Amino acid sequence: MARVVSVFLPTLPTDRIRRADPSLSPDKPLVVIARSGAKRWVAAADRAALKLGLRVGMPAAKARALVQELVMIDADPGADLATLERLTLWALSRYSPVVAMDPPDGIVMDTEGADHLQGGEELMLSGLINRFHGRGLAAHAAIADTWGAAHALARTISRETVIVGRGETDKAVNRLPLSSLRLPAETVASLRTLGFATVGDLAATPRAPLTLRFGPEVGRRLDQMYGRVAEPIDPIRPADLVEVNKSFAEPIGAPETIDKYVSRLVRQLCLELEKRGLGTDLIVHRVDNTIQSLRAGTAKPVRDIAWLTKLFRDRIERIEPGFGIEKLSLAATLAEPLIETQSASLLIEEQVTDVTPLIDVLGNRGGQRIFRVAPVASDVPERSVQRIAPTADEDGATRPLNWPRPPRLLERPEPIEVIALLPDHPPVSFTWRGKRRRVKRADGPERIFGEWWKRSSEWVAVRDYFVVEDDTGERFWIFRSGDGVDAETGSHKWFMHGIFA
C-alpha cells in the first residue's frame, strides 16, 4: 500500500518574491495581483495580509482601500512554477524517487519504502516542514494512503503536519468540506445548493444521480480519495538523471525473477555511471498501474555491482507484485563524484578497515538512523557533542579534558534531592528516581560557566559539577545550578546529568 505525502505551500508566490527582493519591508503586507483585461484581483497574499482580512480573489481596488500600506506585485505564474519545480527536484533527491509537482501550490510524493531513511513518518514530516521554514517558505504537509486524502488534509487542517494511519482514510476525510475534492468551483457550489456539506455526505449518496447530473468527475474524485481507484504519481525527472529501465511483454511477480532483473539493471546503471565518473544513491521502483519504490542509500559514493545488488536483494521481499510487474526502473536520483583512492601499502602503512558496508546494511533497515557522535568545542556538556554522518571527516574539535566525563550523559538533567553544605561541599546524600543514596566519595567542584555570547540569560550563570560515588560503588555526575551564594547565578537546585560505567 502506498503512503502519499502532500506538501501545501499556501504563500509560495509571496514567499518567492520576498526571497528575491530582500529590500521589501517584512512589516508591510504583500499581495500578488493577477489580471485579465481590465479586471485585477488578489491571486496570493502573505500571512500579514491575510490577518488584515484580505482574501484570494478579492478585487485589487478593494484590497488597496482596506489596507493603505499594502505592497502590490504583479503575478508571474512562470516564476512561481519554476520555483515549484526546483523545490520538487530538491525533494526528489532527498526524500523519495516518486515526487511530482502538484501545481499551483504543492508537491506530492510516494514515500513508501523510503521514509525509514528519515527516521519514520513523523520525523520525516517535521524535518520536511522545518527545511521549508529554513528556506523562508510556509508549508503544511499530510501523509495518507491516497493522494486525494493527503492533498485534502494538507489544505484543510490547521496543523502543519497530519499523519493518517494505514487504513484510516475513511474516518479522516468524511468530515472534510466539499472543496477538498479537487472539483471545479461551479460543481462545488451546485453540490452545496443541493444540501451537501461534507465529503462523507456526498460519499453516502447513490452514485447514479450524481453522475447523471454532474458527469463522472464527482465519482472519480471520491474513488481516488477513498482509494478505490488508483491515482499514480508521474514522477518528475531531471535532465541529467541516470536511469535504466526494463519492460516486460508478460508481467512478472516471482521474487527470483525480480532478483534476476534487478541485478541486470544494477549492472547497466553502474556502466552508465562509470561513463560519467559518478557514484550514487540508488532507487528501484515497480510499476503496474501503481508505483512502488525501494530506496537503497549508501554512506558514500559507490559503484560496486555486487554490493549494490545485495542492498536491493535484501529488500526485494517488500515488493508487492499484485497482478504482476510490467516495468522495472532503476534510477540514481542523487549522484556524487566517485573519488578513487590508493590502497595502503602493507609494508609501510596500517590497513584501515572500511566499515561503510556495515553502515549501508544497518541504514537501509526499517527504522534505523545511523550516525556517530563527534565533539564540539564547548564547555557546556549538552552542547559538547553533536550527531554527524557516519563517514564524515573529523573537524579537529575536542572535548575539555581537565576533568573526567561520564560515558553516558542523560538527555536532560534530572532533578535530585540533596543534603549538602553550601557553597563548596559535596553532597552527603542524594535521592534520584525515588532511591536515596549515601555518598561515600566525591570529587569537585568543577565550575562550568554559561556561554553568554550565545544566550544573554547565561551572562552570570554557572554550574558546579561533582563526581560522587555511593556506598554500592556506583558513580554519578551531578551538578548544582549556581555558585551556592548569589541567586543570580542559578537556582541552587541539584541535578543528575551523567552516569559513569
Side-chain angles (χ1 to χ4, degrees), residues 345-368:
S345 170
L346 297 179
L347 294 175
I348 60 175
E349 299 179 14
E350 181 180 354
Q351 188 73 25
V352 178
T353 302
D354 186 5
V355 298
T356 52
L358 175 62
I359 294 171
D360 293 342
V361 171
L362 296 176
N364 284 288
R365 291 179 179 174
Q368 301 289 338

Side-chain angles (χ1 to χ4, degrees), residues 228-294:
R228 305 184 192 110
V229 172
E231 188 178 8
I233 299 171
D234 185 16
I236 191 171
R237 287 291 182 254
D240 58 349
L241 181 73
V242 184
E243 184 174 16
V244 291
N245 302 281
K246 176 62 179 177
S247 298
F248 305 101
E250 295 293 335
I252 66 172
E256 298 81 6
T257 308
I258 298 173
D259 183 14
K260 179 178 70 174
Y261 284 106
V262 167
S263 300
R264 293 181 181 179
L265 288 175
V266 169
R267 188 174 295 107
Q268 294 177 26
L269 186 66
C270 288
L271 290 175
E272 290 295 326
L273 293 171
E274 189 172 1
K275 294 177 183 177
R276 307 188 188 196
L278 297 174
T280 185
D281 171 29
L282 296 172
I283 300 113
V284 62
H285 58 277
R286 180 267 295 172
V287 179
D288 62 345
N289 193 33
T290 60
I291 293 178
Q292 184 181 0
S293 62
L294 293 178

Side-chain angles (χ1 to χ4, degrees), residues 118-188:
Q118 305 291 333
E121 293 180 347
E122 185 175 353
L123 286 177
M124 178 184 64
L125 283 192
S126 60
L128 176 66
I129 293 298
N130 289 337
R131 289 185 177 94
F132 275 112
H133 288 175
R135 292 167 174 257
L137 301 170
H140 296 258
I143 184 168
D145 292 338
T146 67
W147 183 350
H151 181 279
L153 290 165
R155 287 157 176 77
T156 56
I157 303 298
S158 58
R159 301 194 304 273
E160 286 189 336
T161 61
V162 180
I163 299 178
V164 179
R166 296 179 185 272
E168 298 180 359
T169 300
D170 293 12
K171 182 172 63 176
V173 304
N174 280 339
R175 296 185 179 181
L176 295 181
L178 294 178
S179 57
S180 63
L181 274 173
R182 296 178 290 170
L183 292 170
E186 298 80 6
T187 303
V188 173

Side-chain angles (χ1 to χ4, degrees), residues 75-93:
D76 188 349
D80 295 337
L81 195 63
T83 300
L84 185 61
E85 182 179 9
R86 288 195 297 271
L87 293 172
T88 306
L89 291 173
W90 166 78
L92 173 71
S93 66

Side-chain angles (χ1 to χ4, degrees), residues 17-26:
I17 291 170
R18 288 196 182 279
R19 290 182 64 196
D21 188 358
S23 64
L24 290 174
S25 173

Side-chain angles (χ1 to χ4, degrees), residues 68-117:
Q68 296 299 322
E69 296 185 350
L70 184 64
V71 178
M72 304 175 73
I73 304 292
D74 289 336
D76 188 349
D80 295 337
L81 195 63
T83 300
L84 185 61
E85 182 179 9
R86 288 195 297 271
L87 293 172
T88 306
L89 291 173
W90 166 78
L92 173 71
S93 66
R94 187 172 188 92
Y95 290 99
S96 170
V98 184
V99 183
M101 298 169 59
D102 192 7
D105 53 14
I107 298 171
V108 61
M109 51 188 172
D110 185 348
T111 59
E112 179 68 22
D115 58 347
H116 72 280
L117 297 176

